[in-house]
Amino acid sequence: KITTPVLFPLEGLRLRSLALDDTHSVYDLWAVCNHTGTASFGHYYAYCCERANGACQWFEYNDERVREIAAEERYLYCRAQVVQTVAI
């Protein structure tokens, strides 16, 4: 299991240097899947962005509990293992 934090922007991640063409080389983050525990046992939960009026509001989905993530918490919580992005 990799425990190294992954740093990336929430909006405007530019991957042009890694893309074969310019078609979809800029991405916004929409969701993060987190895992706590070990490689053989643990718990998954997710952070997802809900867009309203062009702004992204982040929520934590943890089993049956859903809570809004405050702006100052966003960088502290994201230890990404899997990242879902959407091309803009």
Side-chain angles (χ1 to χ4, degrees):
K1 179 176 173 181
I2 299 169
T3 59
T4 304
V6 178
L7 302 176
F8 47 84
L10 296 180
E11 296 179 340
L13 177 62
R14 298 185 182 283
L15 298 176
R16 180 178 227 172
S17 65
L18 303 173
L20 296 176
D21 58 37
D22 292 342
T23 306
H24 295 290
S25 60
V26 180
Y27 296 87
D28 287 347
L29 183 69
W30 283 82
V32 176
C33 180
N34 288 294
H35 180 265
T36 58
T38 66
S40 58
F41 180 80
H43 178 72
Y44 285 95
Y45 59 99
Y47 298 121
C48 300
C49 167
E50 180 178 316
R51 287 215 180 260
N53 301 321
C56 181
Q57 180 55 56
W58 287 89
F59 292 88
E60 177 186 73
Y61 294 86
N62 193 341
D63 293 332
E64 68 276 350
R65 189 181 81 156
V66 177
R67 76 177 186 96
E68 188 173 343
I69 302 295
E72 60 272 7
E73 291 181 90
R74 291 181 197 150
Y75 293 102
L76 300 176
Y77 280 112
C78 291
R79 287 183 227 101
Q81 301 295 324
V82 177
V83 175
Q84 175 66 45
T85 59
V86 130
I88 57 171

